[in-house]
Amino acid sequence: MTDAGKISEGSSYDVVVIGAGPVGENVADRARAAGLTTAVVESELVGGECSYWACMPSKALLRPVVARADARRVPGLSAAVQGPLDVGAVLAKRDEETSHWKDDGQVAWLESVGADVHRGTGRLTGPREVTVTAPDGTEHRLTARHAVAVCTGTRAVVPALPGIAEARPWTSREATSAKEAPGRLVIVGGGVVGVEMATAWQALGSEVTLLIRGGGLLPKMEPFAGELVADALREAGATIRTGVSVTALHRPAPDGPVTVELDDGDRVEADEILFATGRAPRTDELGLETIGLEPGSWLTVDDSCLVEGTDWLYAVGDVNRRALLTHQGKYQARIAGAAIAARAEKAPVDTAPWGAHAATADHAAVPQVVFTDPEAASVGLTLAEAERAGHRVRAVDYDLASVAGSGLYADGYRGRARMIVDLDREILLGVTFVGPGIGELLHSATVAVAGEVPVDRLWHAVPAYPTISEVWLRLLETFRG
């Protein structure tokens, strides 16, 4: 080790990865599989946001909520599940899924694939050069023969409102790691984080109020998705207020309630407030200025995730703003890892649409499941997006409650399906499902959209009876008329 403030002699690798979340882990795995020496730098926990403060803890909180809701709709079972959830058991399971916020297992996995893990903050200090500042202040320089991959992800954005500091608001991190349910929880924002946390904490005993600046929930999905989720949240006891904005916060006592002032002059009092109002890239302290880029900016990349204007810097996952989803970032990592290896070997690089080194799905076939009750799932384009892109399309809708499998799944089933058909090519550009139990249905739609399967061929993909998947047949029948 060196004295704090001094940079030790450097280590050289083929690839240096900054950030050891799922994306960075996958870049490292692909680079090592290609025989490239690889270093991974991580300033927090190996496994990243998804493992400890996002996907895993949030879905652990939501799983018993959705399972109970489904069970309550099944005759012969509903009477047995009318009581409250065991909050302690739910939180204990959440803690188990996060490995109690310890990363030993994920560190061991990275080391098992042959990557060197460097604890500390990684900062670019020139082309192909990363300086790591360890927790004890010592510094070590890493150089990359072929590529540096920035996989630092994003952080939650908290607006600069009067009283925001004293209010100590929750972000997604606090919302997924809280040790108890607040009595009253105000959630600002109606996107995925907002609706999932509203679903979870309302069921775990909180009195939830959602404050939405726009007109509805889940604005990036088909409008009916947000409408059905909003109906269910209201039935569960949540309050949803649209067309309002927060103007100030007051929390005079650190352990007291927070008062939320709204632009319509009203006030709401709560025990905690969660801001789920957007994300910003973790590039502020990355040293981008040393290579002519702007600190704090999103990194613009081509389809191989190579940062524009460079031949060595890759930005993979949320930090490039293409699709802020863990599974999409891991997909990009597989593409980028293959591209890095090909370029290192001076082999041909196939960046044509759907090529081996092109993350084409980021444009055409991004899948997402919102784990609310009902679930909302989509892949590809919405009707509005397809029309804005200039496609000649038709939206085909079907009531999921009319499918035999839905009636067996739950009494009083409510849901809707939509497929967007490109009328010139007769392929699907997008599919949306909303309803209980439809999350596992989405991959069939993803295959259809990513594979550009002709509608005529989909007729030969026979859904098993009686499953909810029979909605595919009903959608195709509706399209044909």
Side-chain angles (χ1 to χ4, degrees):
M1 302 295 288
T2 63
D3 294 333
K6 295 182 180 179
I7 302 176
S8 68
E9 291 299 320
S11 301
S12 183
Y13 295 89
D14 292 323
V15 180
V16 176
V17 180
I18 306 176
V23 176
E25 289 175 322
N26 274 265
V27 172
D29 182 44
R30 291 297 84 208
R32 288 295 301 127
L36 302 176
T37 59
T38 305
V40 183
V41 183
E42 177 53 54
S43 61
E44 292 187 289
L45 295 176
V46 172
E49 200 80 12
C50 174
S51 297
Y52 306 104
W53 300 288
C55 313
M56 296 308 292
S58 67
K59 301 325 172 263
L61 293 172
L62 286 159
R63 176 60 192 145
V65 176
V66 174
R68 182 182 65 167
D70 284 348
R72 283 179 169 178
R73 302 183 185 106
V74 180
L77 178 60
S78 58
V81 289
Q82 290 303 314
L85 292 167
D86 182 337
V87 177
V90 173
L91 297 182
K93 176 62 175 175
R94 183 271 316 269
D95 294 351
E96 179 186 328
E97 289 296 330
T98 61
S99 301
H100 300 274
W101 290 275
K102 295 179 181 178
D103 64 0
D104 306 51
Q106 300 217 42
V107 171
W109 179 84
L110 260 182
E111 292 174 342
S112 76
V113 303
D116 288 350
V117 179
H118 294 260
R119 294 282 194 181
T121 301
R123 176 182 173 86
L124 294 165
T125 46
R128 295 183 175 84
E129 182 179 280
V130 175
T131 297
V132 181
T133 304
D136 64 1
T138 59
E139 293 186 333
H140 185 73
R141 182 177 291 121
L142 308 177
T143 57
R145 285 182 285 272
H146 297 297
V148 173
V150 174
C151 308
T152 49
T154 59
R155 56 177 172 80
V157 173
V158 177
L161 294 169
I164 193 78
E166 71 178 26
R168 302 186 321 281
W170 280 7
T171 66
S172 53
R173 283 197 170 195
E174 291 77 19
T176 56
S177 62
K179 299 304 182 184
E180 61 183 9
R184 299 163 299 174
L185 174 63
V186 165
I187 299 176
V188 184
V192 176
V193 172
V195 297
E196 287 192 343
M197 290 299 92
T199 300
W201 289 112
Q202 178 71 37
L204 291 169
S206 299
E207 180 185 312
V208 171
T209 299
L210 270 164
L211 303 176
I212 314 299
R213 184 170 57 184
L217 306 181
L218 299 175
K220 295 184 179 181
M221 300 183 84
E222 297 284 8
F224 63 82
E227 292 165 5
L228 286 167
V229 171
D231 288 346
L233 279 170
R234 289 191 178 100
E235 289 175 9
T239 298
I240 301 174
R241 299 181 60 175
T242 59
V244 295
S245 296
V246 177
T247 57
L249 302 171
H250 303 279
R251 191 172 212 161
D255 58 351
V258 57
T259 300
V260 185
E261 290 190 11
L262 305 178
D263 59 356
D264 62 3
D266 201 2
R267 292 186 171 201
V268 180
E269 189 174 85
D271 297 293
E272 299 292 352
I273 181 168
L274 161 63
F275 279 92
T277 49
R279 309 286 298 181
R282 291 181 180 271
T283 59
D284 307 73
E285 307 297 328
L286 190 60
L288 292 179
E289 68 279 2
T290 67
I291 56 170
L293 297 175
E294 182 181 351
S297 65
W298 300 95
L299 295 175
T300 304
V301 300
D302 65 14
D303 275 358
S304 71
C305 295
L306 184 67
V307 174
E308 290 184 354
T310 78
D311 62 0
W312 59 273
L313 183 63
Y314 291 74
V316 194
D318 287 5
V319 74
N320 64 34
R321 210 180 192 177
R322 287 165 68 99
L324 276 66
L325 295 159
T326 294
H327 49 269
Q328 213 66 22
K330 291 166 71 173
Y331 159 73
Q332 292 175 17
R334 296 190 293 271
I335 296 294
I340 290 169
R343 288 174 175 138
E345 296 168 0
K346 301 191 183 306
V349 177
D350 180 7
T351 57
W354 306 111
H357 309 112
T360 309
D362 286 349
H363 309 297
V366 175
Q368 181 172 25
V369 179
V370 185
F371 291 86
T372 43
D373 173 39
E375 292 175 339
S378 66
V379 62
L381 304 181
T382 63
L383 175 60
E385 289 169 340
E387 290 176 339
R388 282 198 300 270
H391 297 289
R392 193 171 68 91
V393 295
R394 176 183 164 195
V396 181
D397 291 350
Y398 197 79
D399 181 359
L400 267 167
S402 298
V403 177
S406 302
L408 291 168
Y409 190 91
D411 275 3
Y413 192 103
R414 284 182 291 177
R416 186 171 172 186
R418 167 174 287 182
M419 67 180 189
I420 307 300
V421 182
D422 182 325
L423 296 175
D424 294 318
R425 301 173 64 195
E426 290 216 344
I427 61 171
L428 304 187
L429 297 180
V431 179
T432 298
F433 301 119
V434 183
I438 54 79
E440 296 297 340
L441 187 60
L442 183 64
H443 194 59
S444 59
T446 303
V447 171
V449 173
E452 298 181 343
V453 181
V455 171
D456 282 349
R457 177 56 63 88
L458 285 175
W459 270 100
H460 298 281
V462 182
Y465 181 88
T467 65
I468 300 176
S469 294
E470 199 180 14
V471 69
W472 279 109
L473 174 58
R474 303 304 172 212
L475 286 165
L476 292 167
E477 288 174 338
T478 303
F479 175 65
R480 283 198 168 182

